[in-house]
């Protein structure tokens, strides 16, 4: 069955399969209805980024005339055709699911109405809303000889309008105009309830504008109104070597992003041919056209599902993160970490402990320095406030801010300026490398000596995503880890020769080689008849050399279990190559984001936490960190976490040799859902 298949699954086709697994959560009738709506929103957001980055990059290759195959056997042109075909099928399925979900919501009293479905009282209120709130912010933009085609912003919603003069001949060429649907207003307009009704009713903003479109064009008759949405190439092209000020250079590129080459055009079903031809000609887009049977851009469903009051029964049961019990009964976190390492599992354990640690360090008179990396930060970051407070109190505060974190560039620029104003030393990393490591170092004066306290994590220092992503954080005062932490910051902020890392693996200097050594050790143990096993959990696996190493270990008899949420280019279960490798993916309520690596080491088990996926960019073009867990009890806790994932038979899907994923539910086997079991963290942490 697999003999004609490439040794590798194509990265982009694997990504399509990942987004299909997200869509399957929207289709899963066991999930609450509003949660299913949120998964539909995630499918849209994921596809937006995929089109604006990955598909855009493939189109760039096609324009450059590249025809060389990649290591999975695809040319840019051949891959592009397959991606568009599969994406088109997915979108069709997504909107079929959208209709199914809203049929279910209508039974619960939640409706999206057309204007014609409103009664007289409702229509009167909605009409007033349009004239008082919507109309003043609308700008009709005509296109003719004196008014060129306006800038169409990426991923914004517009209406394409065809008009004719009042009293004009039907044979006259239509006039064309566009109207932007204002994103500053709610996409769903609440409709006042009917008498004695408990229903929640809404009208889509674009439908409301269409209903009153004639008010924008006096003397003209609109005869065709259809929504459209353009996706542009969003990749930044930076000359870091020649940039005197990286912050200013990125701000310039963000402005250029508005004019990125069009990648995809989405249109409402039944758009008038003249309007469509005008858009294609003016936007210079021939292919990658998606005709949508439903509201364009379902990402609005995320806010809708989160904010709709009174429907808690249609959501997941609320989960309050527990405060890590190691810190629960003390005001001195330094004392706790001096005595033992502390492991945290988010979102089941609260990220507030990290905020509290930085705040305590900011106010502690014995703390001399705080150093930290920031990749993606929340809108109201308590950490940033604490760092600013520490700098204002005279402490040495160094913050490595990654300005090139895709789609968070503007927010990070704002944080960088705020931190600089407070007196922090703000560093933008090394030329050509994104700083993706997640590490916090506090240097404290204690009994005539200095002690280093370190926090390393698998996720960003972001208190918002820490409630939505599963991630691991480790607090330690281990002197070897502290020494490596200081050396890492010295490399990023200053001039430093290659360092002989005692504990860390650091990309791009030696992380890949360290992983190779660990894999080779398991291979050698297997060949020697010793226990040999690898368990690795990550977001993506696409580096060809790393995959080849795993194939080699499998052929030597190493049992390899991979928990890869997203892209996986390794093809498991192929006789003679990868029959000892199993790959699963878990898509559930929380985004699986932790990177954990386990190596049996002949019975002397080793566990590592990492910021890095096993992708080429992480191993060669980013500053990444892999940190060992020295505490034996914490290693066992992490092994338990991995076992939870490996035993999941509800939300886990297994990658087959074909490159497709299948459910692993078995008749007669008790359902086991790892994220549900992880809620009881204090009980099973205690059993470790």
């Amino acid at each position: 069955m697999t003999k004609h298949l490439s040794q590798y699954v194509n990265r982009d086709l694997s990504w399509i399969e990942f987004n299909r697994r997200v869509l399957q959560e929207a289709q899963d009738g066991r999930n609450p209805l509003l949660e299913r709506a949120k998964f539909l929103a995630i499918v849209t957001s994921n596809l937006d980024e995929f089109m604006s980055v990955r598909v855009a990059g493939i189109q760039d290759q096609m324009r450059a005339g590249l025809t060389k195959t990649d290591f999975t056997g695809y040319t840019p042109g051949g891959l592009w055709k397959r991606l568009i075909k599969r994406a088109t099928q997915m979108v069709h399925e997504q909107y079929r699911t959208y209709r199914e979900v809203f049929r279910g919501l209508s039974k619960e009293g939640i409706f999206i109405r057309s204007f014609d479905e409103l009664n007289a009282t409702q229509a009167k209120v909605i009409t007033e809303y349009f004239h008082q709130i919507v109309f003043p912010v609308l700008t009709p933009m005509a296109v003719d000889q004196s008014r060129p085609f306006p800038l169409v912003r990426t991923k914004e919603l517009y209406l394409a309008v065809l008009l004719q003069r009042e009293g004009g001949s039907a044979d006259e060429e239509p006039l064309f105009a566009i109207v932007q649907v204002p994103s500053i207003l709610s996409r769903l307009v609440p409709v006042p309830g009917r008498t004695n009704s408990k229903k929640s009713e809404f009208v889509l903003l674009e439908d409301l504008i269409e209903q009153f479109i004639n008010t924008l064009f006096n003397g003209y008759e609109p005869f065709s109104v259809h929504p459209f949405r353009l996706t542009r190439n969003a990749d930044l092209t930076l000359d870091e070597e020649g940039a005197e000020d990286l912050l200013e250079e990125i701000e310039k590129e963000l402005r250029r992003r508005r004019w990125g080459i069009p990648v995809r055009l989405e249109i409402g079903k039944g758009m008038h041919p003249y309007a469509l031809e005008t858009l294609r000609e003016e936007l210079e887009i021939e292919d990658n056209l998606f005709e949508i049977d439903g509201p364009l851009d379902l990402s609005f469903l995320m806010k809708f599902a989160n904010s709709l009051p009174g429907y808690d029964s249609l959501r997941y049961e609320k989960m309050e993160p527990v405060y890590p019990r190691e810190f629960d009964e003390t005001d001195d976190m330094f004392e706790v970490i001096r005595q033992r390492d502390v492991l945290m599992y988010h979102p089941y354990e609260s990220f507030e402990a990290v905020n509290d640690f930085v705040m305590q360090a900011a106010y502690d008179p014995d703390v001399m320095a705080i150093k930290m990396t920031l990749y993606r930060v929340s809108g109201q970051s308590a950490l940033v406030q604490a760092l600013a407070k520490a700098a204002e109190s005279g402490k040495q505060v160094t913050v490595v801010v990654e300005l090139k974190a895709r789609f968070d560039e503007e927010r990070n620029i704002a944080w960088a300026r705020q931190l600089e104003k407070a007196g922090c030393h703000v560093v933008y990393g090394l030329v050509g490398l994104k700083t993706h490591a997640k590490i916090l170092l506090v240097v404290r004066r204690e009994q005539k000596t200095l002690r280093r306290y370190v926090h390393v994590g698998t996720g960003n220092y972001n208190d918002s995503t820490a409630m939505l992503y599963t991630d691991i954080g480790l607090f330690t005062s281990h002197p070897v880890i502290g020494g490596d932490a200081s050396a890492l910051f010295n490399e990023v902020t200053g001039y430093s020769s290659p360092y002989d890392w005692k504990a860390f693996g650091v990309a791009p200097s030696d992380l890949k080689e360290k992983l190779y050594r660990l894999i080779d050790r398991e291979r050698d143990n297997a060949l020697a008849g010793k226990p040999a096993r690898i368990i690795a959990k990550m977001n993506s696996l696409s580096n060809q050399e790393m995959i080849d190493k795993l194939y080699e270990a499998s052929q030597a008899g190493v049992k390899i279990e991979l928990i890869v949420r997203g892209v996986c280019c390794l093809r498991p279960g192929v006789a003679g190559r990868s029959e000892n490798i199993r790959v699963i993916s878990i898509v559930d309520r929380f985004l699986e984001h932790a990177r954990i690596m386990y190596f049996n080491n002949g019975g002397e088990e080793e566990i590592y936490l990492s910021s890095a996926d096993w992708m080429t960019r992480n191993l060669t073009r980013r500053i990444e960190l892999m940190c060992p867990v020295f505490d034996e009890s914490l290693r066992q806790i992490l092994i338990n976490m991995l076992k939870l994932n490996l035993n999941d038979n509800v939300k886990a899907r297994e990658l087959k040799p074909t490159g497709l994923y299948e459910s692993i539910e078995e008749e007669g086997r008790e359902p086991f859902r790892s994220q549900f079991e992880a809620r009881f963290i204090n009980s099973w942490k205690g059993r470790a």
Side-chain angles (χ1 to χ4, degrees):
M1 178 180 68
T2 60
K3 63 181 180 180
H4 299 302
L5 294 173
S6 164
Q7 293 187 48
Y8 314 97
V9 178
N10 179 269
R11 169 182 170 171
D12 296 305
L13 293 174
S14 180
W15 184 93
I16 289 284
E17 290 305 309
F18 160 65
N19 211 33
R20 192 180 304 282
R21 297 194 293 281
V22 178
L23 178 56
Q24 286 170 352
E25 290 303 303
Q27 296 168 332
D28 190 341
R30 296 170 298 185
N31 289 332
L33 278 166
L34 288 177
E35 302 297 340
R36 294 173 65 186
K38 286 160 66 172
F39 278 112
L40 286 171
I42 295 169
V43 170
T44 292
S45 299
N46 286 350
L47 197 55
D48 282 351
E49 182 171 349
F50 183 70
M51 288 289 172
S52 63
V53 178
R54 297 298 305 174
V55 172
I58 293 168
Q59 288 185 339
D60 286 344
Q61 294 174 17
M62 292 165 62
R63 274 189 289 271
L66 297 180
T67 57
K68 185 179 178 181
T69 59
D70 63 15
F71 76 94
T72 65
Y74 285 93
T75 64
L79 178 59
W80 186 87
K81 290 178 182 177
R82 285 166 176 80
L83 290 175
I84 300 308
K85 180 179 179 180
R86 292 197 189 182
T88 302
Q89 292 169 343
M90 181 186 299
V91 170
H92 177 77
E93 203 175 331
Q94 179 190 16
Y95 278 86
R96 180 183 61 77
T97 307
Y98 166 81
R99 291 186 286 274
E100 177 187 322
V101 167
F102 269 86
R103 280 195 299 272
L105 288 174
S106 67
K107 295 176 183 177
E108 301 290 340
I110 301 170
F111 298 86
I112 295 181
R113 302 288 195 188
S114 67
F115 191 87
D116 293 339
E117 292 178 298
L118 305 182
N119 64 30
T121 302
Q122 292 174 316
K124 182 175 183 295
V125 173
I126 290 299
T127 300
E128 290 175 356
Y129 176 83
F130 173 81
H131 288 291
Q132 294 176 10
I133 305 298
V134 181
F135 181 82
V137 299
L138 296 178
T139 303
M141 292 176 283
V143 178
D144 55 27
Q145 289 182 333
S146 63
R147 289 168 291 194
F149 200 87
L151 169 65
V152 174
R153 296 177 181 273
T154 186
K155 294 184 284 192
E156 293 283 349
L157 187 61
Y158 293 84
L159 296 176
V161 185
L162 293 182
L163 310 105
Q164 58 186 22
R165 301 176 192 277
E166 287 184 354
S169 168
D171 296 333
E172 291 181 7
E173 184 174 342
L175 301 171
F176 183 85
I178 68 173
V179 178
Q180 183 175 354
V181 178
S183 56
I184 196 171
L185 298 177
S186 174
R187 182 81 180 275
L188 283 172
V189 181
V191 176
R194 300 167 192 257
T195 306
N196 298 323
S197 172
K198 294 183 179 179
K199 294 177 180 177
S200 296
E201 300 175 89
F202 301 87
V203 172
L204 283 163
L205 181 59
E206 61 266 33
D207 290 349
L208 180 58
I209 296 171
E210 180 181 351
Q211 177 68 28
F212 296 102
I213 196 73
N214 61 304
T215 63
L216 298 173
F217 300 98
N218 282 331
Y220 295 86
E221 296 177 358
F223 65 89
S224 172
V225 183
H226 283 88
F228 73 93
R229 184 171 179 257
L230 183 70
T231 306
R232 295 182 181 273
N233 187 324
D235 241 3
L236 297 183
T237 305
L238 291 171
D239 177 16
E240 292 186 53
E241 294 279 1
E244 293 185 14
D245 189 320
L246 183 59
L247 187 146
E248 287 186 7
E249 186 68 21
I250 289 177
E251 286 182 318
K252 290 178 185 175
E253 282 298 323
L254 288 175
R255 289 191 288 272
R256 292 188 196 114
R257 184 183 273 174
R258 302 174 190 168
W259 297 95
I261 295 173
V263 175
R264 172 187 59 169
L265 179 62
E266 298 168 277
I267 62 170
K269 187 173 183 180
M271 176 176 278
H272 193 286
Y274 183 89
L276 176 57
E277 186 57 35
T278 301
L279 288 175
R280 295 177 84 157
E281 183 177 326
E282 294 289 349
L283 298 173
E284 298 181 355
I285 184 165
E286 288 297 321
D287 300 309
N288 209 0
L289 176 71
F290 286 74
E291 188 176 37
I292 305 295
D293 185 12
L296 273 59
D297 184 11
L298 294 182
S299 63
F300 73 89
L301 292 175
M302 180 64 73
K303 185 176 181 180
F304 166 72
N306 282 330
S307 61
L308 190 63
Y311 290 93
D312 288 346
S313 63
L314 304 182
R315 299 184 178 93
Y316 290 131
E317 181 183 346
K318 194 170 183 181
M319 190 205 77
E320 289 292 342
V322 298
Y323 200 81
R325 64 182 184 182
E326 295 88 344
F327 299 130
D328 205 18
E329 297 179 0
T330 181
D331 293 328
D332 189 348
M333 300 177 76
F334 293 115
E335 181 182 4
V336 173
I337 302 168
R338 268 198 309 274
Q339 295 172 0
R340 58 171 169 160
D341 293 355
V342 176
L343 193 75
M344 294 188 302
Y345 192 13
H346 309 299
Y348 312 102
E349 291 181 293
S350 175
F351 189 79
E352 282 301 308
V354 179
N355 292 338
D356 291 345
F357 177 73
V358 178
M359 189 62 73
Q360 183 176 332
Y363 283 95
D364 189 323
D366 291 323
V367 168
M368 302 179 67
I370 303 174
K371 301 183 180 186
M372 189 174 188
T373 60
L374 293 179
Y375 189 74
R376 298 189 193 275
V377 190
S378 67
Q380 300 294 327
S381 175
L383 283 174
V384 171
Q385 310 303 327
L387 292 169
K389 177 62 69 176
E392 289 165 356
S393 66
K395 293 175 170 56
Q396 292 292 311
V397 180
T398 303
V399 186
V400 181
V401 178
E402 181 46 71
L403 295 180
K404 302 183 293 298
R406 185 178 286 131
F407 303 122
D408 275 343
E409 298 96 343
E410 291 181 82
R411 179 180 291 170
N412 285 5
I413 287 171
W415 285 132
R417 288 201 163 121
Q418 181 177 331
L419 289 166
E420 285 180 329
K421 190 179 293 186
C424 299
H425 301 296
V426 179
V427 179
Y428 303 134
L430 299 175
V431 171
L433 300 175
K434 280 187 179 181
T435 303
H436 194 248
K438 291 77 167 75
I439 184 167
L440 163 63
L441 169 66
V442 172
V443 181
R444 190 170 187 263
R445 186 191 307 111
E446 294 178 4
Q447 298 177 346
K448 299 182 181 180
T449 187
L450 294 181
R451 187 185 299 271
R452 298 180 181 95
Y453 294 85
V454 179
H455 175 274
V456 294
T458 65
N460 301 311
Y461 288 109
N462 185 315
D463 45 16
S464 294
T465 57
M467 298 178 70
L468 303 171
Y469 296 4
T470 70
D471 271 307
I472 308 294
L474 173 70
F475 282 110
T476 182
S477 61
H478 196 291
V480 174
I481 291 177
D484 276 7
S486 288
L488 178 61
F489 279 104
N490 289 343
E491 279 206 358
V492 174
T493 64
Y495 295 108
S496 182
S497 299
Y499 182 73
D500 182 17
W501 305 103
K502 306 299 188 297
F504 288 174
V506 175
S509 58
D510 80 330
L511 175 57
K512 184 165 68 170
E513 287 70 25
K514 182 163 187 171
L515 286 167
Y516 286 174
R517 290 194 298 271
L518 293 169
I519 295 170
D520 286 345
R521 188 179 63 189
E522 296 300 314
R523 177 204 62 196
D524 294 343
N525 284 342
L527 292 173
K530 298 178 182 178
R533 186 183 186 189
I534 297 170
I535 308 174
K537 175 175 174 145
M538 65 196 78
N539 298 329
S540 298
L541 168 59
S542 62
N543 179 264
Q544 182 184 3
E545 295 169 324
M546 191 66 71
I547 293 170
D548 289 342
K549 276 288 178 189
L550 293 171
Y551 284 158
E552 187 181 326
S554 169
Q555 291 163 21
V558 180
K559 182 181 180 182
I560 302 172
E561 294 163 293
L562 304 175
I563 306 159
V564 185
R565 184 199 76 222
V567 169
C568 182
C569 297
L570 180 147
R571 199 181 292 277
V574 178
R577 185 193 308 139
S578 57
E579 67 265 40
N580 289 313
I581 304 178
R582 177 180 182 238
V583 180
I584 66 168
S585 169
I586 296 173
V587 178
D588 201 346
R589 173 180 183 174
F590 303 116
L591 183 80
E592 292 287 339
H593 194 255
R595 290 98 167 182
I596 310 170
M597 285 78 203
Y598 163 90
F599 300 90
N600 182 266
N601 189 26
E604 298 292 326
E605 297 171 314
E606 292 183 358
I607 285 270
Y608 297 84
L609 302 178
S610 182
S611 62
D613 294 315
W614 291 359
M615 305 176 72
T616 301
R617 71 183 188 192
N618 298 93
L619 299 172
T620 62
R621 300 195 299 274
R622 290 185 173 189
I623 298 172
E624 301 276 12
L625 168 64
M626 185 174 76
C627 175
V629 177
F630 289 131
D631 185 283
E632 185 177 348
S633 65
L634 298 189
R635 286 201 298 269
Q636 192 56 51
I637 288 172
L638 287 164
I639 291 170
N640 286 348
M641 292 179 185
L642 292 173
K643 287 179 178 177
L644 284 180
N645 286 169
L646 292 172
N647 289 331
D648 194 310
N649 62 357
V650 176
K651 295 299 183 180
R653 294 171 181 85
E654 186 168 354
L655 176 59
K656 297 300 181 179
T658 58
L660 303 178
Y661 288 76
E662 293 182 6
S663 171
I664 56 177
E665 293 185 60
E666 301 173 19
E667 284 189 32
R669 186 181 166 194
E670 190 75 20
F672 187 89
R673 185 174 174 181
S674 57
Q675 289 195 2
F676 183 86
E677 296 297 326
R679 297 187 309 165
F680 310 113
I681 182 165
N682 273 338
S683 61
W684 58 262
K685 260 180 118 177
R687 292 198 304 268

